[in-house]
Every structure is written in C-alpha cells, then in structure tokens.
Amino acid sequence: MATLQELFNKGSDSFVDEDYEEALSYYSKAIEINSSHVEVFLKRSATYQKLSKYQEAYDDAVRALALVKEKPGSDVTVEAKAQLRKGVAAYHLQDYNTAKIALAACQTLSPEQRTLESWIRKNDQELAKLPKPTVAPAAVTQTATPATTANPTPVTSPVVASTSAMAATPAPAPSTPAAHRVRHEWYQNDEYVTISVFIKNVKQDAVDINFTEDALSVSVKMPTGADYSLELDPLSHKVVPSESKFEVLSTKIEIRLKKERFAIKWGALEGDDTNAGSMASVTASAPAYPSSSKKAKNWDALEKEAAKDEDKADGDKALNQLFATIYKDADDDTKRAMMKSFTESNGTCLSTNWDEVGKGTVETRPPEGMVAKKYNS
C-alpha cells in the first residue's frame, strides 16, 4: 500500500502535468491515510481551484486553517498560504467580503506571497462594483403613552428589526460555477515562454494579467459574463516581469514571459522542473515544446488546431497570403517558377516546378466554363 508521502508526490507530479483529476485522486487518498496533514489539504484546495470547484477549494482551505490553529508555533507562511487559498476561493464564489478578510490576513502574515497583490487588487475592484448599503431610516417616533399605563411596552421599528436580522444572517455562498472549457498551450525559444489562452472576442479591458518573477496570474471576464482564471504559481523558472508582456487578439490572449536565464529549456510551466536543460539542442527553426508531461501530445495536431482558430482570410487576401507564405521560404528555382507561371498564365496557374515551367511559355488556363480573352486598352 502506498504511503502518504508517495501519494503526495504522485499528486504533485500529476498537478505539474496538468492532470488535475488524477492529482485530486492522489491527494484524496493521502487524506484518507492522514486527515491532519495541512500541506495535502492546501494542494487539494489548489487542485479544486484548477478544476473550477471553488466551494470544495474553499472548504479545504478552511480545514487547513483549522489544522494550523491546532498546532501552536506552526510556520506562519503555511497559515498565509491557507489564508490565500481561502481568499482566492471566496473570490471565485463571489463572497468578496470574506475574500478581503482572508487576503488581508495573508498580507499581514506573509506579504511576499506570490500573486497576493494581484488578488487583492482584483477583489477590491469587485467590491467597488457592489451597491453601497443603504442606511435604515430611524424608528418612527411613537405617540405619547397615556398616563394610566404604568409599564409601557417598548416599540421596535420593523425596519430596524429586519435590518438587524439580515446582518446577523450571513448571505448564502453562490453555487459553484460550472468549469469553463478554455484551452491554453505553450512553447518557448531562447528568450521567451509563450502561452496562448484560446478565448475569442475578449475586450482589452476585460483582461487582467499580473507578472511576478516566479508566478503568473490571469483573470478574464469572458464574453459570456463568466470569469476565467489561470494561476501558475510557482512558475518552474524565474522570469523578468518588466520585460514580459501580453497581447489580446481576436481568437486568443498571447502571453510572453521573458526568461531570466537565457536559453534554458523549460520542461514544465509550473512547479519543480526536473527536466530543465539547454536550448542548444533545440533547432532554431522550431519552437521547443514541454517534454515533462507523462502523456504524449501530438503537437503537430495542436498547431493545426490552433491555426484553425486564427482569423480566416478569403478571396484575394487568402490567395495573396498563400503565395507570400510559399514564396518566403522557397529556393531561387522555386521562386522563379512561381513568378513565371503566375505572370505568363495571367494568374490562372501557379507552379513551383522550374524544370517544367522553364521549358517554355506557361499557357493561360481559365476555369472550366470560362474563356480567356485579351484585354484591348
């Protein structure tokens, strides 16, 4: 039977490989062995967050906090992590007041926690959107009590009473939102790690991205009105925040992380990277893709799928793009063949075979059912 540490390590490996369902299974089995291990609850909370199961993420963070308080003298950074996990989960549950309290507690305990400032900022923005509480009107002044009444009964304003009751009863937490299917992929070169988050038609002001040297926080208000969040914490290697950037395109959000160490090959985006190496072995013409995943991925297929998401051109624009793409990487003979065939055929033929095209004039070949006529100026 696997030990708690073995299950924890397997869960962490699956988490790094972005197999969150498998990670969840391992962490849950570890908790069955020892239900008082704080770190396992924190990791499972983070895993639930990745799966958009925010109520479960919140419950695990609260449990981790309870375990910390049961052990006087515990490391404050562990408690800070638990408060951060609680605050992030509460934010996603739209309980912004609870999130504010938890994030403030984290800031007091360990202000250097990764992505903390980003979450505080995002939560404050949501709090600012909430309607201001209205002040209850004062109790209506009662008419004088007749002198014959010895012990008058105090009259309580119905408005005040109902307001007090509302304050005493906490608002129910929103139901856990459904997981949003948003795909993200990444590749790298010597200088940058590029992450593509495939969400279409996002407005620039709906995207909030925060870079730190070892974490990335992405928050997007999707066109459907739902919230999307991508938290990479910690990144497998350090980056340069001031030189990292992002661009909002019509089909995706493209994020470029500037590597702190030039030419180091990342084996993973997040967590401990045991497969890091040099980019020297990677050809300059092709981007290097992650190699640490336990599951083989067909990167050629993914590239083709991503290409389908790009803006589609049509008509002359599509033809010109195709021509330019082929011509750009062609050798001299191919370029000559393309120019000669296209020109001499009046745009009805495009050949890359110089051995064939060079033998003579390329005839005009109009589409079936059409006749080529000379233009008389």
Side-chain angles (χ1 to χ4, degrees):
M1 182 178 177
T3 65
L4 182 144
Q5 190 61 48
E6 289 172 343
L7 291 169
F8 183 84
N9 291 341
K10 287 180 179 180
S12 298
D13 290 340
S14 298
F15 189 94
V16 169
D17 283 336
E18 300 181 22
D19 191 343
Y20 302 121
E21 292 288 357
E22 186 175 79
L24 180 62
S25 175
Y26 283 126
Y27 290 138
S28 296
K29 289 176 182 177
I31 288 173
E32 289 177 5
I33 295 175
N34 184 350
S35 59
S36 61
H37 197 291
V38 177
E39 286 292 343
V40 181
F41 276 101
L42 288 177
K43 289 297 291 185
R44 195 172 73 167
S45 176
T47 306
Y48 275 132
Q49 182 189 324
K50 294 289 188 181
L51 294 169
S52 298
K53 296 180 178 180
Y54 301 121
Q55 186 61 58
E56 291 87 343
Y58 181 88
D59 292 342
D60 272 3
V62 171
R63 177 59 180 157
L65 277 171
L67 291 172
V68 169
K69 296 184 184 302
E70 290 174 4
K71 299 177 182 179
S74 298
D75 188 349
V76 293
T77 58
V78 176
E79 183 177 355
K81 288 180 182 178
Q83 292 285 10
L84 179 59
R85 295 259 66 84
K86 178 182 177 182
V88 171
Y91 171 87
H92 284 296
L93 290 171
Q94 300 176 22
D95 187 354
Y96 304 120
N97 287 311
T98 297
K100 182 178 181 66
I101 294 170
L103 294 173
C106 175
Q107 190 175 42
T108 301
L109 293 165
S110 181
E112 71 278 2
Q113 284 292 315
R114 303 181 186 99
T115 72
L116 174 61
E117 290 185 6
S118 174
W119 283 113
I120 291 175
R121 184 177 69 256
K122 287 190 283 191
N123 193 69
D124 286 345
Q125 289 172 350
E126 294 300 327
L127 280 173
K129 297 176 185 177
L130 296 179
K132 303 299 181 185
T134 56
V135 179
V140 179
T141 305
Q142 304 300 313
T143 56
T145 305
T148 55
T149 304
N151 296 305
T153 303
V155 178
T156 304
S157 166
V159 176
V160 175
S162 61
T163 303
S164 301
M166 290 174 61
T169 306
S175 58
T176 303
H180 307 303
R181 298 180 181 230
V182 175
R183 178 170 59 90
H184 72 274
E185 301 293 347
W186 67 284
Y187 63 89
Q188 62 185 299
N189 58 24
D190 283 344
E191 292 187 82
Y192 290 94
V193 169
T194 301
I195 304 170
S196 295
V197 180
F198 294 95
I199 308 178
K200 293 183 179 180
N201 304 320
V202 175
K203 295 181 179 179
Q204 183 81 28
D205 58 5
V207 179
D208 183 16
I209 297 181
N210 184 53
F211 304 100
T212 66
E213 65 176 14
D214 45 17
L216 170 68
S217 174
V218 180
S219 180
V220 182
K221 178 67 76 174
M222 299 173 67
T224 60
D227 290 320
Y228 168 76
S229 176
L230 174 65
E231 302 297 325
L232 300 177
D233 179 17
L235 293 167
S236 59
H237 297 275
K238 292 186 181 300
V239 300
V240 182
S242 60
E243 297 182 43
S244 298
K245 50 195 174 184
F246 71 93
E247 184 177 6
V248 179
L249 304 174
S250 62
T251 57
K252 64 182 179 180
I253 302 167
E254 188 168 275
I255 305 164
R256 302 185 72 199
L257 302 175
K258 178 64 181 292
K259 294 180 178 180
E260 184 183 72
R261 294 174 59 190
F262 179 81
I264 185 173
K265 179 183 176 182
W266 290 25
L269 263 181
E270 188 178 18
D272 295 331
D273 184 6
T274 58
N275 295 298
S278 170
M279 288 291 290
S281 60
V282 181
T283 57
S285 60
Y289 292 99
S291 59
S292 65
S293 178
K294 296 183 293 183
K295 296 185 177 179
K297 293 186 179 182
N298 186 339
W299 290 107
D300 291 335
L302 288 173
E303 280 294 300
K304 291 177 182 178
E305 185 179 351
K308 291 179 182 178
D309 288 334
E310 297 298 330
D311 291 330
K312 292 182 174 64
D314 53 12
D316 292 339
K317 182 179 179 182
L319 180 63
N320 291 334
Q321 286 181 353
L322 176 63
F323 188 96
T325 300
I326 298 173
Y327 190 85
K328 179 182 65 174
D329 299 322
D331 56 31
D332 291 340
D333 282 345
T334 301
K335 289 179 179 179
R336 282 200 298 271
M338 293 175 68
M339 292 299 297
K340 186 173 186 295
S341 63
F342 191 78
T343 303
E344 294 180 353
S345 71
N346 295 305
T348 62
C349 177
L350 179 62
S351 174
T352 59
N353 187 345
W354 177 250
D355 291 338
E356 178 183 334
V357 173
K359 292 178 181 179
T361 303
V362 181
E363 298 180 357
T364 300
R365 301 174 185 174
E368 185 177 352
M370 300 184 69
V371 178
K373 292 185 178 181
K374 290 185 179 181
Y375 175 74
N376 296 320
S377 57

